[in-house]
Amino acid sequence: MIRWLKFNAVGAIGMLVQLAMLTLFSRAAGVNYLIATALAVECAILHNFAWHMGWTWRDRSSQGRPLMRLLRFHLANGLVSIACNVAGMRLMVGTARMPLIAANLLCIAVGAVANFVAADRLVFREAR
């Protein structure tokens, strides 16, 4: 339960990173909303990985090489997050004309449980 709470605390901060970067890329830099979404998700993924290594799964962080763990994190959490966000944003913003930030919040919520399971079982798994 404690790990789940830590995961969600990191995720909440990561969500703020993602929303800030989405706003920066799409509104300030004028990047297409789908490309801006993917870039913003990547920023959040890197943020979350660093915090999960040092806090959420600190008791497991000595196992495995950090670069391999980052690669697994990208393949698990990264792909889930980017797929959920880009596909969801295309549907909700592109088709349903939903506001950008509200649609992105829904996309983040959809991927949260799948990302926790993937991180716990694949990325930060216990040594055998």
Side-chain angles (χ1 to χ4, degrees), residues 6-125:
K6 287 180 176 183
F7 177 84
N8 284 299
V10 169
I13 297 166
M15 179 182 66
L16 295 176
V17 168
Q18 181 172 327
L19 294 173
M21 297 310 293
L22 177 63
T23 301
L24 177 72
F25 292 136
S26 66
R27 295 192 179 143
V31 175
N32 173 278
Y33 76 95
L34 292 176
I35 294 168
T37 297
L39 292 171
V41 170
E42 179 61 21
C43 291
I45 289 167
L46 293 172
H47 165 273
N48 290 358
F49 175 76
W51 277 97
H52 289 324
M53 278 283 291
W55 189 49
T56 309
W57 280 279
R58 182 179 57 213
D59 59 317
R60 299 183 194 173
S61 62
S62 65
Q63 292 143 28
R65 291 176 280 177
L67 287 179
M68 289 307 295
R69 192 166 274 184
L70 177 60
L71 178 62
R72 284 197 314 263
F73 193 75
H74 266 87
L75 291 174
N77 293 79
L79 288 178
V80 167
S81 294
I82 289 174
C84 278
N85 277 273
V86 172
M89 292 293 280
R90 176 67 182 104
L91 178 67
M92 290 185 270
V93 175
T95 303
R97 303 286 183 232
M98 198 171 172
L100 190 69
I101 300 300
N104 201 236
L105 285 169
L106 283 174
C107 292
I108 292 167
V110 168
V113 173
N115 277 331
F116 177 79
V117 172
D120 191 58
R121 299 295 170 359
L122 300 173
V123 180
F124 300 102
R125 61 183 179 249

